[in-house]
Coordinates of all heavy atoms in Angstrom, one line a residue:
L1 N 0.8 -1.2 0.0 CA 0.0 0.0 0.0 C 0.9 1.3 0.0 O 0.6 2.2 -0.8 CB -0.9 0.0 1.2 CG -1.9 1.1 1.4 CD1 -2.8 1.3 0.2 CD2 -2.7 1.0 2.7
Y2 N 1.9 1.3 0.9 CA 2.8 2.4 0.9 C 4.2 2.0 0.5 O 5.2 2.4 1.1 CB 2.8 3.1 2.3 CG 1.6 4.0 2.5 CD1 0.4 3.5 3.2 CD2 1.5 5.3 2.0 CE1 -0.7 4.3 3.3 CE2 0.4 6.1 2.1 CZ -0.7 5.6 2.8 OH -1.8 6.4 3.0
E3 N 4.3 1.1 -0.5 CA 5.6 0.6 -1.0 C 6.6 0.2 0.1 O 7.7 0.7 0.1 CB 6.1 1.7 -2.0 CG 5.3 1.9 -3.2 CD 5.9 2.8 -4.2 OE1 7.1 2.9 -4.3 OE2 5.1 3.4 -4.9
G4 N 6.2 -0.7 0.9 CA 7.1 -1.2 1.9 C 7.2 -0.5 3.2 O 7.8 -0.9 4.1
D5 N 6.6 0.7 3.3 CA 6.6 1.4 4.6 C 5.4 1.0 5.4 O 4.3 1.5 5.4 CB 6.5 2.9 4.4 CG 6.7 3.8 5.6 OD1 6.6 3.2 6.7 OD2 7.1 4.9 5.5
Y6 N 5.6 -0.1 6.2 CA 4.5 -0.7 6.9 C 4.0 0.2 8.0 O 2.8 0.1 8.3 CB 4.8 -2.1 7.3 CG 5.5 -2.3 8.7 CD1 4.7 -2.8 9.7 CD2 6.8 -2.1 8.9 CE1 5.3 -3.0 11.0 CE2 7.4 -2.4 10.1 CZ 6.6 -2.8 11.2 OH 7.2 -3.1 12.4
N7 N 4.7 1.1 8.5 CA 4.2 2.0 9.5 C 3.1 2.9 8.9 O 2.1 3.2 9.6 CB 5.3 2.8 10.2 CG 6.1 1.9 11.2 OD1 5.5 1.2 11.9 ND2 7.4 2.0 11.1
K8 N 3.3 3.4 7.7 CA 2.3 4.2 7.1 C 1.1 3.4 6.7 O 0.0 3.9 6.8 CB 2.9 4.9 5.8 CG 3.8 6.0 6.0 CD 4.3 6.6 4.7 CE 5.2 7.8 4.9 NZ 5.7 8.4 3.7
T9 N 1.3 2.2 6.3 CA 0.2 1.3 6.0 C -0.7 1.1 7.3 O -1.9 1.1 7.3 CB 0.6 0.0 5.4 OG1 1.5 0.3 4.3 CG2 -0.5 -0.9 5.0
L10 N 0.0 0.8 8.4 CA -0.7 0.6 9.7 C -1.5 1.8 10.0 O -2.6 1.7 10.5 CB 0.3 0.2 10.7 CG 1.0 -1.1 10.6 CD1 2.1 -1.2 11.6 CD2 0.0 -2.3 10.8
S11 N -0.8 3.0 9.9 CA -1.5 4.2 10.2 C -2.8 4.4 9.4 O -3.8 4.9 9.9 CB -0.6 5.4 10.0 OG 0.4 5.4 11.0
F12 N -2.7 4.1 8.1 CA -3.8 4.2 7.2 C -5.0 3.4 7.7 O -6.1 3.9 7.9 CB -3.4 3.7 5.8 CG -4.6 3.6 4.9 CD1 -5.2 4.7 4.2 CD2 -5.2 2.3 4.7 CE1 -6.2 4.5 3.4 CE2 -6.3 2.2 3.8 CZ -6.8 3.3 3.2
F13 N -4.7 2.1 8.1 CA -5.8 1.2 8.5 C -6.3 1.7 9.9 O -7.5 1.6 10.2 CB -5.4 -0.2 8.6 CG -5.3 -0.9 7.2 CD1 -4.1 -1.4 6.7 CD2 -6.4 -1.0 6.4 CE1 -4.0 -2.0 5.5 CE2 -6.3 -1.5 5.1 CZ -5.1 -2.0 4.7
E14 N -5.4 2.0 10.8 CA -5.8 2.5 12.1 C -6.7 3.8 12.1 O -7.7 3.9 12.8 CB -4.6 2.6 13.1 CG -4.0 1.3 13.4 CD -2.7 1.4 14.2 OE1 -2.1 2.5 14.3 OE2 -2.2 0.3 14.6
D15 N -6.2 4.7 11.2 CA -7.0 5.9 11.1 C -8.4 5.7 10.5 O -9.4 6.3 10.9 CB -6.2 6.9 10.2 CG -5.0 7.5 10.9 OD1 -4.8 7.3 12.1 OD2 -4.1 8.1 10.2
F16 N -8.4 4.8 9.5 CA -9.7 4.5 8.9 C -10.6 3.8 9.8 O -11.8 4.2 9.9 CB -9.5 3.7 7.6 CG -10.8 3.5 6.8 CD1 -11.3 4.6 6.1 CD2 -11.6 2.4 6.9 CE1 -12.5 4.5 5.4 CE2 -12.8 2.3 6.2 CZ -13.2 3.3 5.4
A17 N -10.1 3.0 10.7 CA -10.9 2.3 11.7 C -11.6 3.3 12.6 O -12.7 3.2 13.1 CB -10.1 1.3 12.4
K18 N -10.8 4.4 12.9 CA -11.3 5.4 13.8 C -12.4 6.3 13.1 O -13.4 6.7 13.6 CB -10.2 6.3 14.3 CG -9.3 5.6 15.3 CD -8.1 6.5 15.7 CE -7.1 5.7 16.5 NZ -5.9 6.4 16.7
K19 N -12.1 6.6 11.8 CA -13.0 7.4 11.0 C -14.4 6.8 10.8 O -15.4 7.5 10.6 CB -12.4 7.8 9.7 CG -11.2 8.8 9.8 CD -10.6 9.1 8.5 CE -9.4 10.0 8.7 NZ -8.7 10.3 7.5
V20 N -14.4 5.5 10.7 CA -15.6 4.8 10.4 C -16.7 5.0 11.5 O -17.9 5.0 11.2 CB -15.4 3.3 10.2 CG1 -15.1 2.5 11.4 CG2 -16.5 2.7 9.4
E21 N -16.2 5.3 12.7 CA -17.1 5.6 13.8 C -18.0 6.8 13.5 O -19.1 6.9 13.9 CB -16.4 5.8 15.1 CG -16.1 4.6 15.9 CD -17.4 3.8 16.2 OE1 -18.4 4.4 16.6 OE2 -17.3 2.6 16.1
E22 N -17.5 7.8 12.8 CA -18.2 9.0 12.5 C -19.1 8.9 11.3 O -19.9 9.8 11.0 CB -17.2 10.1 12.2 CG -16.3 10.4 13.3 CD -15.1 11.3 13.0 OE1 -15.0 11.8 11.8 OE2 -14.2 11.4 13.8
M23 N -19.1 7.8 10.6 CA -19.9 7.6 9.4 C -21.3 7.2 9.7 O -21.6 6.6 10.7 CB -19.3 6.5 8.5 CG -17.9 6.8 7.9 SD -17.3 5.4 7.0 CE -15.7 6.0 6.5
D24 N -22.2 7.7 8.8 CA -23.6 7.4 9.0 C -24.0 6.1 8.3 O -24.6 6.1 7.3 CB -24.5 8.5 8.5 CG -25.9 8.4 8.7 OD1 -26.3 7.7 9.7 OD2 -26.8 9.0 8.0
I25 N -23.5 5.0 8.9 CA -23.8 3.7 8.4 C -24.2 2.8 9.6 O -23.9 3.1 10.7 CB -22.5 3.1 7.7 CG1 -21.3 3.1 8.6 CG2 -22.2 3.9 6.4 CD1 -20.0 2.5 8.1
P26 N -24.8 1.6 9.3 CA -25.2 0.7 10.4 C -24.0 0.3 11.2 O -22.9 0.1 10.8 CB -25.8 -0.5 9.6 CG -26.2 0.1 8.3 CD -25.2 1.1 8.0
E27 N -24.3 0.0 12.5 CA -23.3 -0.4 13.5 C -22.6 -1.7 13.0 O -21.4 -1.8 13.2 CB -23.9 -0.6 14.9 CG -24.2 0.7 15.6 CD -23.0 1.6 15.8 OE1 -21.9 1.0 16.2 OE2 -23.0 2.8 15.6
S28 N -23.4 -2.6 12.5 CA -22.7 -3.8 12.0 C -21.7 -3.6 10.9 O -20.7 -4.3 10.9 CB -23.8 -4.8 11.5 OG -24.5 -4.3 10.4
I29 N -21.9 -2.6 10.1 CA -21.0 -2.3 9.0 C -19.7 -1.7 9.6 O -18.6 -1.9 9.2 CB -21.6 -1.4 7.9 CG1 -22.8 -2.1 7.3 CG2 -20.5 -1.0 6.9 CD1 -22.5 -3.3 6.5
K30 N -20.0 -0.8 10.6 CA -18.8 -0.2 11.3 C -18.0 -1.2 12.0 O -16.7 -1.2 11.8 CB -19.3 0.8 12.4 CG -20.0 2.0 11.9 CD -20.4 2.9 13.0 CE -21.1 4.2 12.5 NZ -21.5 5.1 13.6
T31 N -18.6 -2.2 12.7 CA -17.9 -3.2 13.4 C -17.1 -4.1 12.4 O -15.9 -4.4 12.6 CB -18.8 -4.1 14.2 OG1 -19.5 -3.2 15.1 CG2 -18.1 -5.1 15.0
S32 N -17.7 -4.5 11.3 CA -17.0 -5.4 10.3 C -15.9 -4.6 9.6 O -14.8 -5.2 9.4 CB -18.0 -6.0 9.3 OG -18.6 -5.0 8.6
T33 N -16.1 -3.3 9.4 CA -15.0 -2.5 8.8 C -13.8 -2.4 9.7 O -12.7 -2.6 9.3 CB -15.5 -1.2 8.4 OG1 -16.6 -1.3 7.4 CG2 -14.4 -0.3 7.7
K34 N -14.1 -2.1 11.0 CA -13.0 -2.0 12.0 C -12.3 -3.4 12.1 O -11.1 -3.4 12.2 CB -13.6 -1.6 13.3 CG -14.0 -0.1 13.3 CD -14.4 0.4 14.6 CE -15.7 0.0 15.0 NZ -16.2 0.6 16.3
M35 N -13.1 -4.5 12.1 CA -12.5 -5.8 12.2 C -11.6 -6.0 11.0 O -10.5 -6.6 11.1 CB -13.5 -6.9 12.3 CG -13.0 -8.3 12.3 SD -11.9 -8.6 13.7 CE -13.0 -9.6 14.7
N36 N -12.0 -5.7 9.8 CA -11.2 -5.8 8.6 C -9.9 -5.0 8.7 O -8.8 -5.5 8.3 CB -12.0 -5.4 7.4 CG -11.3 -5.7 6.1 OD1 -10.7 -6.8 5.9 ND2 -11.4 -4.9 5.1
C37 N -10.0 -3.8 9.1 CA -8.8 -3.0 9.3 C -7.8 -3.6 10.3 O -6.6 -3.7 10.0 CB -9.2 -1.6 9.7 SG -10.0 -0.6 8.5
T38 N -8.4 -4.1 11.4 CA -7.5 -4.7 12.4 C -6.9 -6.0 11.9 O -5.7 -6.3 12.1 CB -8.4 -5.0 13.7 OG1 -9.0 -3.7 14.1 CG2 -7.5 -5.5 14.8
F39 N -7.7 -6.8 11.2 CA -7.2 -8.0 10.6 C -6.0 -7.7 9.6 O -5.0 -8.4 9.6 CB -8.3 -8.8 9.9 CG -7.8 -10.0 9.3 CD1 -7.8 -11.2 10.0 CD2 -7.5 -10.1 7.9 CE1 -7.4 -12.4 9.5 CE2 -7.1 -11.3 7.4 CZ -7.0 -12.5 8.1
N40 N -6.2 -6.6 8.8 CA -5.1 -6.2 7.9 C -3.9 -5.9 8.6 O -2.7 -6.2 8.2 CB -5.6 -5.1 7.0 CG -6.6 -5.5 6.0 OD1 -6.6 -6.7 5.6 ND2 -7.4 -4.6 5.5
C41 N -4.0 -5.2 9.7 CA -2.8 -4.8 10.6 C -2.2 -6.0 11.2 O -0.9 -6.1 11.2 CB -3.3 -3.8 11.7 SG -3.7 -2.2 11.1
A42 N -3.0 -7.0 11.6 CA -2.4 -8.2 12.1 C -1.7 -9.0 11.0 O -0.6 -9.6 11.3 CB -3.6 -9.1 12.7
T43 N -2.2 -9.0 9.8 CA -1.5 -9.7 8.7 C -0.2 -9.0 8.4 O 0.8 -9.7 8.1 CB -2.4 -9.7 7.4 OG1 -3.7 -10.3 7.7 CG2 -1.8 -10.3 6.3
I44 N -0.2 -7.7 8.5 CA 1.1 -6.9 8.3 C 2.1 -7.3 9.4 O 3.3 -7.5 9.1 CB 0.8 -5.4 8.2 CG1 0.1 -5.1 7.0 CG2 2.1 -4.6 8.3 CD1 -0.5 -3.7 7.0
A45 N 1.6 -7.4 10.6 CA 2.5 -7.8 11.7 C 3.1 -9.2 11.5 O 4.3 -9.4 11.7 CB 1.7 -7.8 13.0
I46 N 2.3 -10.1 11.0 CA 2.8 -11.4 10.7 C 3.9 -11.4 9.6 O 4.9 -12.0 9.7 CB 1.7 -12.4 10.3 CG1 0.7 -12.7 11.5 CG2 2.2 -13.7 9.7 CD1 -0.6 -13.3 11.1
H47 N 3.6 -10.6 8.6 CA 4.5 -10.5 7.4 C 5.8 -9.9 7.9 O 6.9 -10.4 7.4 CB 3.9 -9.6 6.3 CG 4.8 -9.4 5.2 ND1 4.9 -10.4 4.2 CD2 5.5 -8.4 4.8 CE1 5.8 -9.9 3.3 NE2 6.2 -8.7 3.6
Y48 N 5.8 -9.0 8.8 CA 7.1 -8.3 9.2 C 7.6 -8.9 10.5 O 8.5 -8.4 11.1 CB 6.8 -6.8 9.4 CG 6.8 -6.1 8.0 CD1 5.6 -5.8 7.4 CD2 8.0 -5.8 7.4 CE1 5.6 -5.2 6.2 CE2 8.0 -5.2 6.1 CZ 6.8 -4.9 5.6 OH 6.7 -4.3 4.3
D49 N 7.0 -10.1 10.9 CA 7.5 -10.8 12.1 C 7.5 -9.9 13.3 O 8.5 -9.9 14.1 CB 8.9 -11.4 11.8 CG 9.2 -12.5 12.8 OD1 8.2 -13.2 13.3 OD2 10.4 -12.7 13.1
D50 N 6.4 -9.1 13.5 CA 6.3 -8.2 14.6 C 5.3 -8.7 15.7 O 4.1 -8.5 15.6 CB 5.9 -6.8 14.1 CG 5.9 -5.7 15.2 OD1 5.9 -6.0 16.4 OD2 6.0 -4.5 14.8
S51 N 5.9 -9.5 16.6 CA 5.0 -10.2 17.5 C 4.3 -9.3 18.5 O 3.1 -9.6 18.8 CB 5.8 -11.3 18.3 OG 6.8 -10.7 19.0
E52 N 4.9 -8.2 18.9 CA 4.2 -7.3 19.8 C 3.0 -6.6 19.1 O 2.0 -6.4 19.7 CB 5.2 -6.2 20.3 CG 6.2 -6.8 21.3 CD 5.6 -7.5 22.5 OE1 4.7 -6.9 23.1 OE2 6.0 -8.6 22.8
L53 N 3.2 -6.2 17.8 CA 2.1 -5.6 17.1 C 1.0 -6.6 16.9 O -0.2 -6.3 17.0 CB 2.6 -5.1 15.7 CG 1.5 -4.5 14.8 CD1 0.8 -3.3 15.4 CD2 2.1 -4.2 13.4
L54 N 1.4 -7.9 16.6 CA 0.4 -8.9 16.4 C -0.5 -9.1 17.7 O -1.7 -9.2 17.6 CB 1.0 -10.2 16.0 CG 0.1 -11.4 15.8 CD1 -0.9 -11.1 14.7 CD2 0.9 -12.6 15.4
K55 N 0.2 -9.1 18.8 CA -0.5 -9.3 20.1 C -1.5 -8.1 20.3 O -2.6 -8.3 20.7 CB 0.5 -9.3 21.3 CG 1.2 -10.6 21.4 CD 2.2 -10.5 22.5 CE 3.2 -11.7 22.5 NZ 4.2 -11.5 23.5
K56 N -1.1 -6.9 20.0 CA -1.9 -5.7 20.1 C -3.1 -5.8 19.2 O -4.3 -5.5 19.6 CB -1.1 -4.5 19.7 CG -1.8 -3.2 19.7 CD -0.8 -2.1 19.3 CE -1.5 -0.8 19.0 NZ -0.6 0.3 18.5
Q57 N -2.9 -6.3 18.0 CA -4.0 -6.4 17.0 C -5.0 -7.5 17.5 O -6.2 -7.3 17.3 CB -3.5 -6.6 15.6 CG -2.7 -5.5 15.1 CD -3.3 -4.1 15.1 OE1 -4.5 -4.0 14.9 NE2 -2.5 -3.1 15.5
V58 N -4.5 -8.6 17.9 CA -5.4 -9.7 18.4 C -6.2 -9.2 19.6 O -7.4 -9.5 19.6 CB -4.5 -10.9 18.8 CG1 -5.4 -12.0 19.5 CG2 -3.9 -11.5 17.5
E59 N -5.6 -8.4 20.5 CA -6.4 -7.9 21.6 C -7.5 -6.9 21.1 O -8.6 -6.9 21.7 CB -5.5 -7.2 22.6 CG -4.7 -8.2 23.4 CD -5.5 -9.2 24.2 OE1 -6.5 -8.9 24.8 OE2 -5.2 -10.4 24.0
R60 N -7.2 -6.2 20.1 CA -8.2 -5.3 19.5 C -9.3 -6.1 18.8 O -10.5 -5.6 18.7 CB -7.6 -4.4 18.4 CG -6.8 -3.3 19.0 CD -6.2 -2.4 18.0 NE -5.5 -1.3 18.5 CZ -4.8 -0.4 17.9 NH1 -4.7 -0.5 16.5 NH2 -4.2 0.6 18.5
M61 N -9.0 -7.3 18.3 CA -10.0 -8.1 17.6 C -11.0 -8.7 18.5 O -12.2 -8.9 18.1 CB -9.3 -9.2 16.8 CG -8.6 -8.8 15.6 SD -8.0 -10.3 14.8 CE -6.9 -9.5 13.6
K62 N -10.6 -9.0 19.7 CA -11.5 -9.7 20.6 C -12.8 -9.1 20.9 O -13.9 -9.7 20.7 CB -10.8 -10.0 21.9 CG -9.7 -11.1 21.8 CD -8.9 -11.3 23.1 CE -7.8 -12.3 22.9 NZ -7.1 -12.5 24.2
P63 N -12.9 -7.8 21.3 CA -14.2 -7.1 21.5 C -14.9 -7.0 20.1 O -16.2 -7.0 20.1 CB -13.9 -5.8 22.1 CG -12.4 -5.5 21.8 CD -11.8 -6.9 21.6
L64 N -14.2 -6.7 19.1 CA -14.9 -6.6 17.8 C -15.5 -7.9 17.4 O -16.7 -7.9 16.9 CB -13.9 -6.2 16.7 CG -13.3 -4.8 16.8 CD1 -12.2 -4.5 15.9 CD2 -14.4 -3.7 16.7
S65 N -14.8 -9.0 17.6 CA -15.4 -10.3 17.3 C -16.6 -10.6 18.1 O -17.7 -11.0 17.6 CB -14.3 -11.4 17.6 OG -14.8 -12.7 17.3
A66 N -16.6 -10.3 19.4 CA -17.8 -10.5 20.3 C -18.9 -9.6 19.8 O -20.1 -10.0 19.8 CB -17.4 -10.1 21.7
K67 N -18.7 -8.4 19.3 CA -19.7 -7.5 18.9 C -20.3 -8.0 17.6 O -21.5 -8.0 17.4 CB -19.2 -6.1 18.7 CG -20.2 -5.1 18.3 CD -19.8 -3.7 18.7 CE -20.8 -2.6 18.3 NZ -22.2 -2.9 18.2
L68 N -19.5 -8.6 16.7 CA -20.0 -9.1 15.4 C -20.9 -10.3 15.7 O -22.0 -10.4 15.1 CB -18.8 -9.7 14.6 CG -18.0 -8.7 13.8 CD1 -16.8 -9.3 13.2 CD2 -18.8 -8.0 12.7
V69 N -20.6 -11.1 16.7 CA -21.4 -12.2 17.0 C -22.7 -11.7 17.6 O -23.8 -12.2 17.2 CB -20.7 -13.2 18.0 CG1 -21.6 -14.2 18.6 CG2 -19.5 -13.9 17.4
A70 N -22.7 -10.7 18.5 CA -23.9 -10.2 19.1 C -24.8 -9.5 18.1 O -26.0 -9.7 18.1 CB -23.5 -9.2 20.2
D71 N -24.2 -8.8 17.1 CA -24.9 -8.1 16.1 C -25.7 -9.0 15.2 O -26.8 -8.8 14.8 CB -24.0 -7.1 15.3 CG -23.6 -5.9 16.0 OD1 -24.1 -5.7 17.2 OD2 -22.7 -5.2 15.5
V72 N -25.0 -10.1 14.8 CA -25.6 -11.0 13.8 C -26.5 -12.0 14.4 O -27.5 -12.5 13.8 CB -24.5 -11.6 13.0 CG1 -25.0 -12.6 12.0 CG2 -23.7 -10.6 12.3
D73 N -26.2 -12.5 15.7 CA -26.9 -13.5 16.4 C -27.1 -14.7 15.5 O -28.2 -15.2 15.3 CB -28.3 -12.9 16.8 CG -29.0 -13.8 17.8 OD1 -28.2 -14.5 18.6 OD2 -30.2 -13.8 17.9
S74 N -26.0 -15.3 15.1 CA -26.0 -16.5 14.2 C -25.1 -17.5 14.8 O -23.9 -17.1 15.1 CB -25.7 -16.1 12.8 OG -25.3 -17.3 12.1
E75 N -25.5 -18.7 15.0 CA -24.7 -19.7 15.5 C -23.4 -20.0 14.6 O -22.3 -20.2 15.1 CB -25.5 -21.0 15.7 CG -24.7 -22.1 16.4 CD -25.5 -23.4 16.7 OE1 -26.7 -23.2 17.0 OE2 -24.9 -24.5 16.6
S76 N -23.6 -20.0 13.3 CA -22.5 -20.2 12.4 C -21.5 -19.1 12.5 O -20.3 -19.3 12.4 CB -23.0 -20.5 11.0 OG -23.6 -19.3 10.5
I77 N -22.0 -17.8 12.6 CA -21.0 -16.7 12.7 C -20.3 -16.8 14.1 O -19.1 -16.5 14.1 CB -21.8 -15.4 12.6 CG1 -22.4 -15.2 11.2 CG2 -20.9 -14.2 13.0 CD1 -21.4 -15.1 10.1
A78 N -21.0 -17.2 15.1 CA -20.4 -17.3 16.4 C -19.3 -18.4 16.4 O -18.2 -18.1 16.9 CB -21.4 -17.7 17.5
R79 N -19.5 -19.5 15.7 CA -18.5 -20.5 15.6 C -17.3 -20.0 14.8 O -16.1 -20.2 15.1 CB -19.1 -21.8 14.9 CG -19.8 -22.7 15.9 CD -20.1 -24.1 15.2 NE -20.7 -24.0 13.9 CZ -22.0 -24.1 13.7 NH1 -22.8 -24.2 14.7 NH2 -22.5 -24.0 12.5
N80 N -17.6 -19.3 13.7 CA -16.5 -18.8 12.8 C -15.7 -17.8 13.6 O -14.4 -17.9 13.5 CB -17.1 -18.1 11.6 CG -16.1 -17.4 10.7 OD1 -15.7 -16.3 11.0 ND2 -15.7 -18.2 9.7
Q81 N -16.3 -16.9 14.4 CA -15.5 -15.9 15.1 C -14.7 -16.6 16.3 O -13.6 -16.2 16.5 CB -16.4 -14.8 15.7 CG -16.9 -13.9 14.7 CD -15.9 -13.2 13.9 OE1 -14.9 -12.6 14.5 NE2 -15.9 -13.3 12.6
K82 N -15.2 -17.6 16.8 CA -14.5 -18.4 17.9 C -13.3 -19.0 17.3 O -12.2 -19.0 18.0 CB -15.4 -19.4 18.6 CG -14.9 -20.0 19.8 CD -15.9 -20.8 20.5 CE -15.3 -21.3 21.9 NZ -16.3 -21.9 22.7
V83 N -13.4 -19.6 16.2 CA -12.3 -20.2 15.5 C -11.2 -19.2 15.1 O -10.0 -19.5 15.3 CB -12.7 -21.0 14.2 CG1 -11.5 -21.5 13.4 CG2 -13.6 -22.2 14.7
N84 N -11.6 -18.1 14.6 CA -10.7 -17.0 14.3 C -9.9 -16.5 15.5 O -8.8 -16.1 15.5 CB -11.3 -15.9 13.5 CG -11.7 -16.3 12.1 OD1 -11.1 -17.1 11.5 ND2 -12.7 -15.7 11.6

């Protein structure tokens, strides 16, 4: 995204995850968008072998995952989020 500057890429996703809160869209879309941004940051952490960043992103995913499950109220989604 930023030609190898992973800190700029991380900032892009983290900033977008914050900006989505201000958007006039359904809460479930906000949550899934924030989860997607966080997942992308976790993938970058894996790629760059940054275990501390990965831990941080996984901790950010936990409440988002719980919210996704609560918003959708689907047993299959709940199983999917638990596995992830």
Side-chain angles (χ1 to χ4, degrees):
L1 180 60
Y2 282 97
E3 297 187 26
D5 188 340
Y6 90 103
N7 286 315
K8 284 185 181 178
T9 305
L10 291 170
S11 291
F12 169 82
F13 286 120
E14 290 173 351
D15 291 345
F16 189 76
K18 291 175 186 170
K19 289 178 184 175
V20 76
E21 272 305 315
E22 300 168 7
M23 295 178 182
D24 186 23
I25 56 176
E27 285 298 316
S28 60
I29 302 295
K30 289 180 182 183
T31 304
S32 62
T33 301
K34 289 187 283 188
M35 177 62 104
N36 188 38
C37 289
T38 306
F39 182 83
N40 288 334
C41 289
T43 301
I44 291 166
I46 292 167
H47 179 77
Y48 285 97
D49 199 27
D50 188 336
S51 61
E52 289 304 311
L53 176 63
L54 180 59
K55 288 177 190 175
K56 177 180 167 183
Q57 299 306 321
V58 168
E59 287 304 312
R60 286 181 174 172
M61 284 183 194
K62 289 178 181 179
L64 294 171
S65 179
K67 186 155 176 29
L68 283 172
V69 170
D71 288 349
V72 177
D73 193 27
S74 162
E75 187 176 321
S76 62
I77 296 296
R79 280 194 306 266
N80 178 274
Q81 288 303 309
K82 191 172 187 172
V83 169
N84 286 331

